[in-house]
Amino acid sequence: MNDVFRAGVEPGGLTMDYEIKVLICYMLAALDRPLPAQGLVEVLSAGGIANYFEAVDAVSSLLKSGHIEERADETGENCYVVTPVGRSAAETFEKDLPSSVRQHALEGAQQYLLHRRRRAQNRASITRVADGYQLSLSIEDVGSNLLDLTVLLPSRESCQQARERFFNDPVTFYQGLLELLLAGQA
């Protein structure tokens, strides 16, 4: 196999196309919900599980063979779901894959979906102003805004860092802010 097809694959990752195909079917069956096209390939390649090009090729092959299918989710984004044929293949061959790879891929997919949901329910924008950058944060829930907050920060990088921390756990951010605002009341 060419080194080009091993690029980005961590030790213990997958380099055989059939392994990548089985892992994709396994992930989609275990998640039991649609996974965005971008997310599937990102989980495999960014996680060092498989080479980007090999992952894209495996997805294409699985679509042609009917193991997975593409459909739009509630937001209209193209997502992949496993078919009964793909589910059967996953159940038959999942033990051929190292359990650590299966676990790593499944955790990566779950994290991707969680992060995606958080970004859909919460907003963060960065705006350049005369004396720095404004970071505006918003938490939406059940039709009401729980939080609208704008802070001034000195650089775009500090705004990006704060935005990522906010998206990583908006509930804890909100709870911590409430604790600070309500400290001393009881």
Side-chain angles (χ1 to χ4, degrees):
M1 179 181 292
N2 283 332
D3 285 339
V4 127
F5 294 110
R6 291 189 182 134
V9 180
E10 297 291 324
L14 306 179
T15 56
M16 304 295 289
D17 65 339
Y18 81 91
E19 294 174 322
I20 298 167
K21 291 175 187 177
V22 170
L23 182 61
I24 291 169
C25 291
Y26 169 80
M27 282 173 43
L28 293 173
L31 287 172
D32 202 30
R33 61 182 179 201
L35 183 61
Q38 173 187 349
L40 177 60
V41 174
E42 184 179 311
V43 165
L44 295 174
S45 60
I49 298 167
N51 173 275
Y52 173 84
F53 299 105
E54 289 287 311
V56 169
D57 188 52
V59 167
S60 177
S61 179
L62 288 168
L63 284 167
K64 288 178 188 168
S65 67
H67 286 78
I68 65 174
E69 59 187 27
E70 194 171 17
R71 65 172 71 136
D73 68 1
E74 64 278 354
T75 67
E77 187 173 6
N78 286 337
C79 294
Y80 296 121
V81 294
V82 68
T83 65
V85 172
R87 189 176 301 275
S88 176
E91 290 170 1
T92 302
F93 297 110
E94 74 179 74
K95 297 291 186 209
D96 291 349
L97 303 174
S99 63
S100 60
V101 170
R102 291 192 315 255
Q103 181 180 352
H104 183 59
L106 191 54
E107 287 172 357
Q110 290 166 334
Q111 280 297 110
Y112 179 88
L113 290 171
L114 177 63
H115 197 68
R116 181 174 177 253
R117 190 181 83 230
R118 285 178 178 161
R119 285 191 182 268
Q121 292 174 331
N122 307 293
R123 304 277 182 257
S125 63
I126 300 171
T127 307
R128 174 82 167 117
V129 293
D131 50 351
Y133 290 84
Q134 285 184 334
L135 174 63
S136 298
L137 306 172
S138 175
I139 298 176
E140 302 169 10
D141 190 19
V142 196
S144 297
N145 273 3
L146 295 177
L147 173 77
D148 277 318
L149 174 69
T150 300
V151 296
L152 180 67
L153 294 169
S155 68
R156 180 175 264 305
E157 293 77 24
S158 58
C159 284
Q160 289 170 334
Q161 183 181 17
R163 179 181 63 194
E164 285 309 308
R165 290 189 69 183
F166 169 72
F167 278 132
N168 282 340
D169 197 350
V171 172
T172 300
F173 177 88
Y174 183 69
Q175 289 171 338
L177 185 60
L178 287 180
E179 286 176 18
L180 285 172
L181 292 171
L182 301 174
Q185 293 184 5

